[in-house]
Amino acid sequence: MKKLSVVICVYNEEPNIQPLSQQIKDALSGIDFEAIFVDDGSTDRTREEIRKINDDRFILVELKRNYGQSSALQAGIDQAAGEFVVLIDGDLQNDPADIPNMLRMAEAEGWDMVAGVRANRQDGMFLRKIPSKIANYMIRQSTGIHMKDLGCTLKIFTHETIKSIHIYGELHRFIPVLVTLEGATRITQVDVNHRPRQYGKSKYNLSRTTRVMSDLLLMLFFKKYLQRPMHFFGALGIITLILGMLINFYLLVVKLLGNNIWGKPLLMLGILLVVAGIQFITIGIIAELQMRTYFEAQQKTPYRIKKVTPAKEN
């Protein structure tokens, strides 16, 4: 097993490939590493530039089309065989020179994950920095993962930690949350260098805000109710059902007193709440069955063992 696997996702980063590969070679001199470039369906000459590297430590994984950063990261992680796995952007904004220090920290101090913090971020204030700060604050407050810079790609993990998760959709922003859910407790941060983009075009814009909000709701559900979805849907269903029944009981009394209740908005609301309550409870039952299938079919356990040691007799 190699000491380090470097996973780099690229999409139309043709001018950045050669300088990045050389910087990786220089930064990781003396370290047994492999560098995995995942080409996420580039339409320029990115793949050709990767093939020019002419170094058997560099691997090219070509995806059939553009799947997005999360899927590309997962493809690279699946190929990674190193004792430690580092994720880094392919746009030269992350500095490979930071990797050796992060590797030393992870190895010497036993961290599950060492995350980079862009101390002097070289991005636009209104389109990148401010939305990022707002997103980081919301994620910290909602998930309890108190990290300064959740959006920095540069992170290093132990092989076991990164292989314990599966990244899909656009959950690459929530990797620290995902590894925490899988039992990673030793997580730290370190300031890293951040450089302005020199070549190519940024793939980020404000349209991703709604996606971040949607993924945040998913992470909140995962964190609190992943193993007990009935507690969420069941409680919501019971409350809704009781409210509907109370409204309908009130309308029944009104009807028995000789008043006409047909067509009243309150009647419609009562019926709707009863139906919605039954649906929520049904969804909870189905979700519980799916979680049973998830754990049993993949032979997963609802817990993570940190260490097993034999008891010693006195």
Side-chain angles (χ1 to χ4, degrees):
M1 177 183 287
K2 292 185 178 296
K3 173 62 69 175
L4 182 68
S5 294
V6 184
V7 176
I8 316 111
C9 298
V10 288
Y11 175 66
N12 291 344
E13 298 288 357
E14 177 185 343
N16 293 318
I17 300 301
Q18 293 302 322
L20 178 58
S21 61
Q22 187 58 53
Q23 290 176 19
I24 291 173
K25 293 178 188 178
D26 294 341
L28 303 183
S29 177
I31 299 174
D32 185 21
F33 77 92
E34 63 177 2
I36 303 168
F37 276 99
V38 182
D39 178 68
D40 190 22
S42 294
T43 56
D44 61 0
R45 293 181 55 82
T46 295
R47 292 184 295 277
E48 287 74 7
E49 289 297 316
I50 296 172
R51 293 191 185 101
K52 288 180 183 178
I53 296 174
N54 194 26
D55 188 322
D56 58 10
R57 294 174 297 180
F58 287 78
I59 301 167
L60 170 60
V61 176
E62 299 181 56
L63 302 186
K64 289 187 175 181
R65 63 175 177 84
N66 179 241
Y67 288 92
Q69 188 174 353
S70 291
S71 296
L73 277 174
Q74 186 62 57
I77 291 168
D78 289 341
Q79 296 294 322
E83 182 181 349
F84 293 89
V85 178
V86 63
L87 310 181
I88 187 171
D89 277 335
D91 56 10
L92 289 178
Q93 290 197 270
N94 293 146
D95 191 348
D98 288 311
I99 297 176
N101 179 51
M102 298 174 74
L103 177 61
R104 283 191 293 270
M105 289 180 62
E107 190 170 20
E109 301 174 21
W111 297 107
D112 295 320
M113 179 184 79
V114 179
V117 177
R118 294 166 289 187
N120 185 24
R121 187 171 176 181
Q122 301 296 312
D123 280 323
M125 178 63 70
F126 294 102
L127 293 180
R128 297 293 297 276
K129 287 185 180 180
I130 292 178
S132 179
K133 285 182 180 295
I134 294 173
N136 282 329
Y137 175 78
M138 292 177 62
I139 295 171
R140 284 196 300 268
Q141 296 301 313
S142 302
T143 65
I145 307 299
H146 296 289
M147 297 182 63
K148 296 179 182 178
D149 190 359
L150 287 156
C152 181
T153 301
L154 185 55
K155 300 179 180 71
I156 189 167
F157 308 83
T158 62
H159 181 91
E160 178 186 6
T161 298
I162 196 62
K163 292 287 187 175
S164 69
I165 66 170
H166 296 282
I167 311 167
Y168 54 88
E170 292 200 10
L171 296 182
H172 57 274
R173 304 178 186 89
F174 297 90
I175 290 178
V177 181
L178 293 173
V179 298
T180 301
L181 290 173
E182 290 297 328
T185 57
R186 291 188 53 77
I187 294 175
T188 191
Q189 307 168 82
V190 62
D191 288 348
V192 296
N193 187 26
H194 190 249
R195 304 176 293 190
R197 176 182 269 273
Q198 297 181 19
Y199 311 106
K201 184 179 179 182
S202 174
K203 314 301 186 299
Y204 297 90
N205 53 59
L206 290 177
S207 66
R208 297 196 174 197
T209 303
T210 55
R211 304 175 197 174
V212 173
M213 297 294 294
S214 301
D215 289 338
L216 179 57
L217 292 175
L218 179 62
M219 286 297 99
L220 285 173
F221 181 81
F222 277 1
K223 186 173 177 62
K224 294 186 177 181
Y225 300 104
L226 178 63
Q227 296 182 27
R228 46 191 180 94
M230 188 61 180
H231 287 190
F232 175 77
F233 291 109
L236 191 60
I238 290 171
I239 292 171
T240 305
L241 183 60
I242 289 174
L243 286 174
M245 293 177 67
L246 288 174
I247 291 173
N248 290 336
F249 180 76
Y250 165 75
L251 291 174
L252 176 62
V253 173
V254 172
K255 177 67 175 178
L256 292 175
L257 293 175
N259 297 304
N260 181 28
I261 62 171
W262 180 250
K264 290 183 178 293
L266 192 60
L267 176 62
M268 300 296 104
L269 177 61
I271 295 173
L272 179 63
L273 288 175
V274 169
V275 173
I278 295 172
Q279 287 182 329
F280 280 131
I281 293 172
T282 304
I283 291 172
I285 294 172
I286 294 173
E288 286 284 344
L289 293 174
Q290 288 182 325
M291 288 311 302
R292 181 181 291 273
T293 302
Y294 169 77
F295 281 107
E296 293 183 358
Q298 302 185 57
Q299 296 183 340
K300 286 181 173 288
T301 60
Y303 57 85
R304 296 292 181 269
I305 295 175
K306 181 178 181 181
K307 188 177 182 182
V308 177
T309 55
K312 294 182 180 180
E313 294 182 1
N314 294 325

